[in-house]
Each structure stands twice: as structure tokens, then as C-alpha cells.
Amino acid sequence: MDKIENMLNHKVSVGTILTTGIAVGGLAYLYNNSKLKIDNADTANNGPSENKTPLRKKDLKLDDRSPPSSVKSRASSYYEDSDVIREKLRSPSRRKQKQIRVFMEGAFDVMHYGHANAFRLGRQLGTTLVVGVNSSESIEEAKGAPPLMTDEERCASVRGCKFVDEVIPKTPYVMTREYLDWVIKTYNIDYVVHGDDPCFVDGVDVYGHVKKMGMFRSIPRTEGVSTTEIIGRMLLMTTSHHQRKQAENGNKNARKNSGSKLTKYFPKEDHVIGYYRSSQFHLTSRVIHLFSQPHRKIEPNMKVVYIVGSWDMFHAGHVEILKLARQLGDYLLVGIDNDAKVNRHRGENYPIMNIQERTLSVLQCKYVDDVIIDPPWNVSEEFIAALNISVVVRGSTDEDSNTIREKSNKEHDEYYKGAITKGIFKLIPSPSKLTVTDIVERVVLNKKKLQAKIDKKMKAETDFYKEKHGLSDDFQFGTGQK
């Protein structure tokens, strides 16, 4: 009997021990699992756990010529998955961390999607992008000619880019050591970024001392586009290079150089004469995806605003009208007319930039939520219902005729008939009178100065691509024209 009792007591004690062990093991598992999730989240936001603290400029020595491996890995991941990284940057845990501030500078004259892509790449190297816009005086002093766009226009264009957080106006065209040190200290800059092309003045590397501090980062240039090449397109506006003649292909309906109104306002396919503005930039779906971030969906309760146009040579005036349009609702949808329609309206060499280029220019604007590439010829009630549009907007400055529209006309009423019928059409005063025609006129007025500069620059661009890609001797950078 005593033996049985001892055995029972023994079993109870073993059972107690096993139960306790299971409980402790479970708690340990839960603790380790939760710790693993925290570590993984921390690693995703900060990089490897052994490098949780962001590298700061005060930690860098003058002889640290190469960036630490942790920073290299962070940069490569940004290039590959920028949309994922942007989501992490917006997360509450990321906002609590120390910000990594990046500085870029440039003239950004006739700002285009190549500039915007540079901003995108620079922004991915940190959490805040600060952009310096060179003053007109310093540009003219260095290049012998002032920029086409004013300081205010260039700053407005840069400020309107979704990848830019802060703008420093009137920075010098040539970055001196003293000025760079001032910017780094004043704006708490961690990295100074520039394109991968060399930047030497009087044989001295402008960014040499920043490189020695380990604070310099380079980004690849966007191939197939440059300010020089785009200005070259506008210089052709005074020639018959792209202009069709009435007898072209024996087509009696070929448009005149001055452009013409649409046949009965909205032509069918057989009324549209094909036109395509060529360029050497090749648009891919991945690039559109990157420029579309962060992507927002149209929710049922949103007030959707729609505005349509050519958006050729996307400029400060476009930024301002899109800003006003966005303030009228929760979601801004922008229609981008195709090349044939723009050319049919305006004639000559318009549009200066093709629909692919214009699409990226619009997508990079911080006030735009989404775009419709080649929208319907008119804003119908069906179109409005399909996209849940609440307000249809038009600015008073008419890019097609370069006039201020104070009231409607027959063509206008036909185009916006669906919105007018539903009582959702709104004509708003354009905050800027700047138009594409104004920009072209500036080019024409400075043709002599610009032509010599363009020829020199285009030769340098041609040599760059030949050397980089091993292209044939017949290659010429530009729009494919010799």
C-alpha cells in the first residue's frame, strides 16, 4: 500500500513537472516568436540588426573614402523595390527614427521627367530630399547665357515634384566647398547626391571633399532625354523639318502648318491624321509603376476631380492649375491627350514631347493621383459615371490658342456637354499665364546663343552614348534627326 501511494505521489509530481514545463516552454516560444517579429520589422526598417543606428556624418572620418557596406545594401534595395521602401518610410515606426536627409542641386531649366527620375533616385537614398535650384545669375555667369525659365518658374516646377521635400532657391551653379559645408550644416544633410557624370571646375572635383567624408552618392542619369535635346526640338519649330505639306502622300485633307479645329469638333477615326512625336526615351511599365507611387484607389466616398489637357512641356503653370484642381476634391484624375489630337489642334511641331514623355511629366506631380492616357474625345455622361467623377475642371488659360477663356463657345460646350448637363463643370482662373507658346518664343528669341550651345552639347551627348554603349559612328543623339 505504501508503495502504491508513493508511486501515485511520484506520478503526480511528474505530471506537475510536465505541465509546468509545457507552460514555460509555451511562454518561451511566444516570447521568442514575438521578439523575432520585432527584430524582423526592425531589420526591414533599419537594415541589418548590427547597424540599427543610421550612419551620420559625424561618424565619418576624412579618409573613409568608400561607403560602409550597410549603406550600400540599403541603396541597392531602394533601387529594386522603391514602392515597398516608400511604404516603409511612411510607416509610424519609420517616422520615429532619425531622418536621413539627402541634398541634390542643379539648374533644372525646362524641367522634364529625367529631372524627376533623378529626384526619385536621390529620394530613395534617404527619407528627405532637399533640392537646390541654381540662380539665373550664376547659370549665366558659368554658361554665358541665362536659363529659359525664371528662378521662380524653376523653383515652382521642382517644388511640385512628388519626390522633393524641400527647395533651396538661388544656389550657386558651381558648388564651392564653403557653400556645400554651409548646406550640410544648415540643412543637416547626410548625403550629397549627383549624377554619375564627372563634375570638375578648373581641374578640381567639385564634390571631392564630400567624397573624402564618405557623404557622396552618385545616381545613374536617365538616358534618352536631356534639356539640351528638348530645346533642340523647340529650335526646329522655326523650320519645316517636321511640318507636313498639303500634298503629302496626295492627301487633300493633310492639315495646315497653323493647325485646324477638329472636324465637327469630335472626329471619327477616319478624320484623324496620324502624328507621332518621336524621341529616344523608351517607356516601360515598370517606370510608369515607379512614377505612380504612392498609388491610391478611388473609394466610393471620394470626391473625384477630372481635368484634361495636353500638358506639353510640363511647366510651373501646369503645376499651379493642378494644385487648384486638387483642392476641389479628394482625388485628382488627369487626362492626357494623344499626339494626334494635340497636333490637330496646334499644328506645326506640336506636341514637343510625345504622350509617353508627357505621361511621366504629369505622374511626377505631387497633386496628381492618377492619369488617363488618351482619354475620350469628349467628357460624356457615361465617362463621368464610369469613373465616379464629381467635378470636371478647366483652366481659363487655353494652351491650344494661347488665349484667356472667360466664357464658353460652341466647341467648348460640345466637349464638356456631359459635365455641363450634370452641373459639375467648373471653369477656374488659371493662376499662371505661362504657356508652351511662351517657352517656344523664348527659345526663338535666343536662337543664336542657344544653337551654338546646343551643337556643342549634342556632340558631347553623342560621344557619351557612343563610349558607354559602343554605338556605331553613325549614331547621333537627339530625336533621330541629323
Side-chain angles (χ1 to χ4, degrees), residues 162-163 287-296 363 369-370:
K162 66 170 66 172
F163 307 115
V287 174
I288 292 179
H289 174 72
L290 293 172
F291 269 63
S292 299
Q293 300 304 314
H295 182 69
R296 299 176 66 214
L363 278 174
D369 291 294
D370 205 353

Side-chain angles (χ1 to χ4, degrees), residues 169-298:
K170 295 184 179 295
T171 61
Y173 183 77
V174 177
M175 291 283 108
T176 64
R177 177 168 184 160
E178 293 74 21
Y179 186 82
L180 272 174
D181 288 342
W182 176 82
V183 168
I184 290 170
K185 180 180 179 181
T186 304
Y187 291 89
N188 195 27
I189 301 301
D190 295 278
Y191 302 130
V192 175
V193 175
H194 194 267
D196 53 8
D197 49 319
C199 190
F200 285 85
V201 175
D202 297 330
V204 179
D205 187 350
V206 172
Y207 297 100
H209 81 287
V210 180
K211 291 177 181 178
K212 290 181 179 179
M213 295 168 65
M215 294 176 61
F216 181 81
R217 301 290 180 270
S218 67
I219 55 174
R221 65 189 297 179
T222 303
E223 296 192 4
V225 62
S226 71
T227 298
T228 302
E229 188 264 336
I230 292 173
I231 292 176
R233 299 185 201 181
M234 286 186 280
L235 283 173
L236 292 175
M237 299 294 282
T238 57
T239 72
S240 59
H241 191 81
H242 284 293
Q243 298 173 0
R244 288 188 177 81
K245 295 179 175 61
Q246 289 283 12
E248 181 178 327
N249 298 324
N251 188 346
K252 296 180 180 180
N253 295 321
R255 64 151 188 83
K256 297 179 180 179
N257 292 340
S258 59
S260 62
K261 294 298 181 183
L262 301 177
T263 304
K264 293 182 180 179
Y265 309 125
F266 313 114
K268 296 179 181 179
E269 290 291 331
D270 55 347
H271 293 124
V272 181
I273 298 174
Y275 179 92
Y276 176 75
R277 159 66 75 179
S278 64
S279 75
Q280 291 191 337
F281 177 77
H282 307 294
L283 184 62
T284 65
S285 59
R286 181 176 181 274
V287 174
I288 292 179
H289 174 72
L290 293 172
F291 269 63
S292 299
Q293 300 304 314
H295 182 69
R296 299 176 66 214
K297 294 181 180 179
I298 299 179

Side-chain angles (χ1 to χ4, degrees), residues 93-107:
S93 60
R94 184 73 182 187
R95 288 196 295 267
K96 292 178 182 178
Q97 298 170 20
K98 184 65 177 179
Q99 297 291 296
I100 300 175
R101 297 171 61 82
V102 178
F103 173 72
M104 298 177 65
E105 57 81 24

Side-chain angles (χ1 to χ4, degrees), residues 47 101 193 235 241 251 254 285 292 304 319 327 334 404 418 432 459 468:
R101 297 171 61 82
V193 175
L235 283 173
H241 191 81
N251 188 346
S285 59
S292 299
V304 179
V319 174
Q327 292 172 353
V334 180
I404 306 301
S432 171
K459 183 181 183 305
K468 183 173 182 178

